[in-house]
Amino acid sequence: MKHLAIIPGDGIGKEVIDVGMEVLDAVSEISSFDYDGELFDIGSERYLGTGELLTDEDISSLKKKDAIYFGAIGDPRVKPGILEQGILLKMRAVFDQYINLRPVTSWFPLVPLKREVPFDIHFLRENTEDFYMGAGGTFGGSRKNACVKVRREMYDLEMELKTKSSNNDDFAFEIGLLSRKGITRFADYAFNYAKSRGESDITLVDKANVCTHIYGLQRTIFEEKAEEYGMGLKFMFVDAMAMAMIVRPETFGTVAVPNLFGDILTDLGAQIQGGLGMGGSGNINPKGVSMFEPIHGSAPDIAGQKKANPIAAVLAAQMLLENQGYPEEGMMLHKSVRYCLDNGLTTPDLGGKLTTDEVGKAVCRYILNQKT
Ligand code: IPM
Ligand code: MG
């Protein structure tokens, strides 16, 4: 019996997670997978009522779960950043979910690209470091040394900028930080992941021609790891990668990408595979509590209208099942999505006429029919 935390969150998060749970129920009817789901009221409503985001109590309850199934957060009544940082980013940090797995698969015939060549890119986005840490952090030696060094760099930068300007300018800057520990575990995960998919190399995306410090260190460690695993390593600058994803997506398999560039490239990836409604996302701590979510947001403009495409939530449930040791059941969900697309059983964003719930029912029907 798996113990799942269910966090529908805001907007269409509730509608698509309802479908996701029906789908998990259908899976449990026909397989050895079994679960209980505890609902957590985390999101904008509670925040607006009590001011609470992700509380210590939430965290200690979530810690006891096998995995978290998450809908979406975001509400036009709340200033941007508050819910994202206080809930989603905090969750990733507290549970140290250092890998963000985002598959980009061509769901033919949805692919908006002119070249109809199938592709299956698996993005592994580093999920805890880079420009997502807030300013400051630690590197080499003690925390104190790190802080002194950061301050010195800030001072030099400020002096340089001041001498260039006669005005009393304002300055703002953000620190992107990568640690040896963070890069090493990221690289280990990426090479093992590619190996498990039968691939002989991985691609590492960066901007090492500009941000030479952080991405230089990352390259060095990935090179060491490539040798250790006896695997190939290709480098791509992020701007070139954005182009390559459009002109030759079929040439990529496992792609490791730092946090901020990964955020951007995986939205591009969602579009080339058929839209945000088709992207599942796993925030993974291989030894801890992982969280699975559709990559889309709360879409307040269509919330409550039963128009939301639940497929991304179904694909997130697929990842959850695989992560929890049920790969065959996960594959069944993948095939159920194929079945819906092949039969035009889709929501309006994919040209269909069905509601969120009706797509859910079609997925469940497919699963129940797999009973042997
Ligand atoms: C994502 C989202 C988040 C991110 C936001 C909501 C903080 O865009 O999951 O990709 O930047 O990671
Ligand atoms: Mg994003």
Side-chain angles (χ1 to χ4, degrees):
M1 168 79 79
K2 293 290 178 189
H3 305 294
L4 304 185
I6 313 289
I7 308 179
D10 302 328
I12 62 167
K14 296 191 181 73
E15 297 157 50
V16 299
I17 291 297
D18 275 352
V19 167
M21 286 178 70
E22 275 173 28
V23 168
L24 288 177
D25 287 345
V27 172
S28 71
E29 262 184 54
I30 61 141
S31 73
S32 61
F33 171 74
D34 200 6
Y35 82 104
D36 64 38
E38 185 185 345
L39 211 58
F40 284 75
D41 171 28
I42 297 172
S44 65
E45 287 302 335
R46 186 177 80 170
Y47 171 70
L48 289 166
T50 68
E52 289 167 313
L53 291 159
L54 185 67
T55 66
D56 291 347
E57 208 187 323
D58 295 331
I59 293 167
S60 63
S61 310
L62 291 170
K63 248 188 202 142
K64 297 184 196 122
K65 301 294 179 187
D66 291 305
I68 302 170
Y69 191 33
F70 189 90
I73 45 150
D75 188 307
R77 295 170 294 173
V78 183
K79 220 172 95 196
I82 293 182
L83 299 167
E84 292 87 336
Q85 280 175 13
I87 298 176
L88 187 59
L89 297 182
K90 186 168 173 189
M91 190 103 72
R92 290 175 184 168
V94 168
F95 292 107
D96 203 17
Q97 294 157 343
Y98 64 88
I99 297 294
N100 188 194
L101 169 61
R102 294 185 161 180
V104 174
T105 308
S106 55
W107 288 102
F108 192 78
L110 299 180
V111 187
L113 300 174
K114 287 212 180 84
R115 296 167 69 247
E116 290 170 352
V117 184
F119 53 85
D120 189 21
I121 315 177
H122 279 221
F123 277 101
L124 297 173
R125 166 186 176 194
E126 200 290 323
N127 216 19
T128 56
E129 299 197 319
D130 197 43
F131 290 91
Y132 269 66
M133 302 186 66
T138 56
F139 50 77
S142 68
R143 191 175 181 94
K144 196 172 148 215
N145 282 347
C147 292
V148 170
K149 183 149 171 57
V150 169
R151 270 194 226 112
R152 196 175 301 142
E153 298 275 336
M154 281 162 54
Y155 180 79
D156 289 349
L157 189 66
E158 191 182 336
M159 285 305 124
E160 193 190 320
L161 291 171
K162 269 197 175 145
T163 53
K164 281 186 188 155
S165 157
S166 53
N167 306 325
N168 254 348
D169 281 342
D170 289 332
F171 302 108
F173 70 95
E174 196 84 33
I175 295 178
L177 191 143
L178 297 184
S179 66
R180 176 169 286 277
K181 180 179 156 226
I183 300 169
T184 303
R185 67 184 187 176
F186 178 35
D188 278 324
Y189 192 93
F191 283 110
N192 281 317
Y193 185 87
K195 211 175 224 175
S196 74
R197 281 174 39 93
E199 296 164 4
S200 55
D201 60 20
I202 69 165
T203 302
L204 175 66
V205 176
D206 61 24
K207 190 74 188 174
N209 50 346
V210 175
C211 304
T212 53
H213 300 97
I214 52 177
Y215 301 135
L217 180 64
Q218 183 172 250
R219 282 194 176 198
T220 306
I221 294 172
F222 267 75
E223 271 169 338
E224 287 163 13
K225 286 285 170 187
E227 203 161 310
E228 187 184 317
Y229 284 86
M231 289 178 76
L233 174 65
K234 293 181 196 149
F235 297 123
M236 283 291 284
F237 293 136
V238 64
D239 46 354
M241 184 67 190
M243 285 200 299
M245 281 172 69
I246 303 295
V247 297
R248 53 178 181 93
E250 70 283 0
T251 59
F252 298 100
T254 298
V255 177
V257 56
N259 210 342
L260 182 58
F261 298 150
D263 179 43
I264 300 163
L265 290 184
T266 54
D267 267 20
L268 173 60
Q271 284 304 330
I272 65 170
Q273 74 174 347
L276 275 181
M278 297 299 294
S281 169
N283 299 274
I284 296 170
N285 176 339
K287 293 197 181 118
V289 184
S290 300
M291 174 173 79
F292 300 87
E293 52 170 344
I295 95 162
H296 62 68
S298 60
D301 52 325
I302 58 160
Q305 300 172 29
K306 297 287 174 201
K307 281 186 192 162
N309 181 354
I311 287 181
V314 173
L315 293 172
Q318 175 197 339
M319 295 163 94
L320 186 152
L321 287 170
E322 286 166 353
N323 176 268
Q324 294 294 304
Y326 293 89
E328 283 167 23
E329 288 76 1
M331 189 39 71
M332 205 188 288
L333 296 201
H334 197 81
K335 288 186 181 155
S336 75
V337 171
R338 191 64 271 172
Y339 161 80
C340 288
L341 296 179
D342 288 346
N343 292 285
L345 302 168
T346 59
T347 41
D349 56 314
L350 302 184
K353 290 197 175 75
L354 300 195
T355 63
T356 310
D357 295 343
E358 286 165 348
V359 175
K361 295 267 176 297
V363 171
C364 291
R365 226 174 18 246
Y366 177 88
I367 293 165
L368 295 172
N369 277 337
Q370 306 306 303
K371 194 170 183 171
T372 43

